[in-house]
């Protein structure tokens, strides 16, 4: 796929946010990251800003569905963390981690980004 500079920057921004989120969530699974740190880390990813900035371009191209998926997951996770943890416990974050990792893997293959093909 031919990408212009703006597309590459968008992909890099979303991938970096996804990778950082995966590291945070993995830390939760390993009981190295507490809930307060997770909340702070998710807020620092600024998924809402990224979603707002890139949404119009992401919905134009069906090949970018995994980029959009990552941003939706992060945005939802940040906004619904209290509810999710209260209703389902911290272990429920494992599903989010698996979904983020799967999207990162598919993006890595689609855009030939070898470092992202490995699950965090």
């Amino acid at each position: 796929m031919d990408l212009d500079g703006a597309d590459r920057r968008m992909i890099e921004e979303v991938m970096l946010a996804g990778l950082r989120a995966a590291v945070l969530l993995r830390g939760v699974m390993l009981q190295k990251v507490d809930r307060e740190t997770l909340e702070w880390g998710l807020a620092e990813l600024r998924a809402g800003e990224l979603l707002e900035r890139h949404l119009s371009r992401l919905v134009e191209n069906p090949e970018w569905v995994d980029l959009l998926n990552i941003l939706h997951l992060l945005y939802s996770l940040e906004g619904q963390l209290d509810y999710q943890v209260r209703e389902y416990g911290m272990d429920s974050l494992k599903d989010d981690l698996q979904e983020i990792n799967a999207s990162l893997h598919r993006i890595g293959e689609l855009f030939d980004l070898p470092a992202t093909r490995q699950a965090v």
Side-chain angles (χ1 to χ4, degrees):
M1 171 185 286
D2 289 332
L3 300 171
D4 64 20
D7 289 344
R8 285 198 181 281
R9 282 188 298 282
M10 176 187 67
I11 292 165
E12 289 171 2
E13 285 182 336
V14 175
M15 292 291 295
L16 184 58
L19 287 168
R20 288 178 174 167
V23 169
L24 272 172
L25 292 172
R26 185 161 189 249
V28 169
M29 297 298 104
L30 295 173
Q31 298 180 347
K32 303 276 185 193
V33 172
D34 62 17
R35 184 170 167 178
E36 183 179 308
T37 303
L38 176 61
E39 288 174 2
W40 172 84
L42 289 172
E44 286 295 306
L45 295 175
R46 295 174 176 30
E49 290 176 24
L50 290 173
L51 193 56
E52 185 177 316
R53 186 176 332 136
H54 299 303
L55 182 62
S56 63
R57 289 190 23 239
L58 287 171
V59 296
E60 289 174 359
N61 190 334
E63 291 182 323
W64 292 347
V65 67
D66 285 302
L67 294 166
L68 184 58
N69 185 45
I70 288 172
L71 290 180
H72 275 293
L73 276 168
L74 297 181
Y75 183 72
S76 174
L77 190 56
E78 180 184 1
Q80 300 290 321
L81 185 63
D82 285 338
Y83 173 79
Q84 183 173 341
V85 170
R86 185 175 57 249
E87 291 295 314
Y88 307 107
M90 292 290 274
D91 286 342
S92 68
L93 300 174
K94 182 179 180 184
D95 294 336
D96 296 310
L97 175 60
Q98 290 173 337
E99 183 67 27
I100 290 168
N101 278 336
S103 288
L104 288 170
H105 179 79
R106 288 187 297 265
I107 293 164
E109 287 182 338
L110 179 64
F111 298 110
D112 196 28
L113 305 170
T116 60
R117 287 190 212 140
Q118 299 170 359
V120 175

